[in-house]
Amino acid sequence: MTLAELNTIARKMVAKGKGILAADESTGTIKKRFDTIDVANVEENRRDYRELMFRTDEAMTKYISGVILYDETIRQKAKDGTLLVKIIAESGAIPGIKVDKGAKPLAGCPGETVTEGLDGLRERLIEYREIGARFAKWRAVIAIAGGAVPSYTAITANAHSLARYAALCQENGIVPIVEPEVLMDGDHDIDRCAEVTERTLKEVFQQVYHQRVALEGMVLKPNMAVTGKKCAKQAGVQEVAEKTLMVLKRCVPAAVPGIAFLSGGQPAEEATAHLDAMNKMGPLPWELTFSYGRALQAAPQKAWSGKPENVAKAQAAFTHRARMNGLATRGRWSADCERQTA
Ligand code: 5MM
């Protein structure tokens, strides 16, 4: 596949008005989500829940550009026997796949992790492409704790793996989503988050260059610069938008087609407000959109609660959140939109 073709896919993933649904929760993570709505974590429930989202016509055709899937889901069939990946592709959204094997303890660095999954990745990418994936995702996790964490060791190890993953994806005709997530856990202020995010992104793009990844054929999935969850003084929407953009402008080359944020545990409406505020501050060198998991799914999950009779209600909740975030990609969202359409 040529770079022009990778670039075309990447641009479609970050097209104005649309964003990415992160539905790639591993079995352990979806259990945590299902526990909150009292739903058993069995394959049938995971399928029914995801099928209801992928069959939400309005959300999928108008506001969702791509869906990140987990290995189980990309091979799974809907209740009527149709492959879920076919339902996604027929809606016009691009199927994607999470290919990392999770964050594992990093030797010599207590409290820090490195994401694994490079062994056998080439072969897995070839298979996933055959099944229908056109993009992939790898998430690296950077913690903040006191002055010594994150360590240089953790940042460089994760940046190196992210870049090697991205190079392998491009070699196999798959657009890599590069996701270095600086966690919101902790009592740090927004400036500390901005400083760590800047340090991380600078190292990521250094490694991306060393591993010969083509910037035009990738999408960045970063955290926003936000206050730690346990910090008493939380930054407001404008400050988050300004500091996030300041960091991104310092680190992300203009050749990258787009940036699709993770929500990271932000309340759903806040994640929308932050994205909207940044897009109101344009023009920007890249498209700015969403690749939210929790901020898109918390409302439909609650509405569904595992009951077939709630499917329509859950689909309405999913459409609403997707539409709000679609507006935010254009800088056209306001709190009024939430009330008018809720
Ligand atoms: C949807 O959650 C993804 C999978 O996490 P696990 O591998 O731990 O199950 C996660 O990578 C997600 O894609 C991103 O973190 C963005 O999700 P949020 O909820 O932060 O927007």
Side-chain angles (χ1 to χ4, degrees):
M1 184 177 267
T2 64
L3 178 54
E5 287 168 314
L6 287 172
N7 180 253
T8 301
I9 297 169
R11 286 188 180 284
K12 241 187 119 183
M13 290 161 65
V14 297
K16 254 298 166 262
K18 293 189 174 191
I20 297 166
L21 166 64
D24 59 311
E25 299 88 351
S26 54
T27 309
T29 299
I30 198 72
K31 180 181 185 317
K32 284 190 214 156
R33 310 282 180 259
F34 279 4
D35 282 351
T36 67
I37 52 172
D38 211 13
V39 169
N41 185 26
V42 294
E43 189 178 343
E44 196 184 348
N45 287 341
R46 294 194 291 271
R47 180 205 61 198
D48 288 352
Y49 167 61
R50 285 166 172 148
E51 181 178 347
L52 87 77
M53 286 193 291
F54 306 157
R55 286 200 194 272
T56 305
D57 252 31
E58 189 181 348
M60 293 295 293
T61 56
K62 291 190 183 165
Y63 311 117
I64 300 296
S65 59
V67 182
I68 315 174
L69 300 165
Y70 184 55
D71 183 76
E72 172 183 276
T73 324
I74 203 169
R75 304 171 190 282
Q76 210 167 29
K77 287 180 176 154
K79 212 170 202 143
D80 68 2
T82 316
L83 280 164
L84 292 177
V85 78
K86 188 163 181 261
I87 296 171
I88 294 167
E90 283 178 356
S91 77
I94 309 171
I97 180 75
K98 183 237 293 294
V99 297
D100 67 67
K101 298 272 187 187
K104 305 284 157 63
L106 178 61
C109 298
E112 297 191 278
T113 60
V114 64
T115 300
E116 296 188 348
L118 288 173
D119 288 355
L121 181 56
R122 177 178 279 121
E123 292 71 26
R124 289 194 289 128
L125 288 167
I126 291 168
E127 192 203 354
Y128 284 138
R129 197 169 196 288
E130 276 166 16
I131 300 177
R134 291 295 174 269
F135 71 91
K137 192 205 83 172
W138 178 291
R139 172 172 171 259
V141 180
I142 305 294
I144 299 181
V149 170
S151 64
Y152 176 74
T153 314
I155 290 177
T156 51
N158 277 295
H160 180 78
S161 302
L162 271 170
R164 286 204 50 211
Y165 137 83
L168 275 163
C169 285
Q170 292 187 341
E171 177 198 85
N172 290 288
I174 287 190
V175 171
I177 293 186
V178 172
E179 181 182 3
E181 175 173 6
V182 176
L183 296 177
M184 285 174 73
D185 302 340
D187 61 0
H188 51 275
D189 64 13
I190 186 171
D191 291 321
R192 174 86 169 121
C193 176
E195 176 254 315
V196 171
T197 305
E198 181 171 344
R199 209 159 13 116
T200 303
L201 290 178
K202 285 202 164 120
E203 190 59 37
V204 166
F205 280 100
Q206 179 82 347
Q207 293 288 339
V208 156
Y209 173 68
H210 287 321
Q211 296 302 320
R212 308 179 181 196
V213 177
L215 296 171
E216 295 82 355
M218 64 166 276
V219 169
L220 178 71
K221 176 166 173 169
N223 55 284
M224 297 174 194
V226 288
T227 318
K229 276 183 204 157
K230 288 192 188 142
C231 181
K233 195 176 163 286
Q234 293 286 317
V237 171
Q238 199 54 28
E239 190 178 2
V240 168
E242 281 168 15
K243 290 192 168 155
T244 303
L245 280 184
M246 175 191 75
V247 169
L248 294 174
K249 284 179 181 173
R250 287 177 181 173
C251 303
V252 186
V256 173
I259 296 171
F261 290 103
L262 59 92
S263 55
Q266 297 176 46
E269 208 174 306
E270 248 176 54
T272 306
H274 290 151
L275 177 62
D276 179 70
M278 284 186 261
N279 276 308
K280 281 186 166 74
M281 289 162 70
L284 301 164
W286 353 256
E287 295 296 340
L288 277 196
T289 186
F290 57 93
S291 175
Y292 294 159
R294 284 162 286 181
L296 272 177
Q297 296 187 59
Q301 266 163 21
K302 197 166 167 218
W304 175 58
S305 290
K307 300 197 173 79
E309 63 270 27
N310 290 340
V311 164
K313 220 164 70 179
Q315 289 180 321
F318 176 44
T319 301
H320 176 70
R321 248 353 315 132
R323 194 158 76 81
M324 294 300 101
N325 285 302
L327 287 170
T329 68
R330 300 180 190 276
R332 289 190 196 149
W333 173 89
S334 71
D336 282 347
C337 304
E338 295 281 345
R339 282 192 288 275
Q340 283 160 14
T341 55

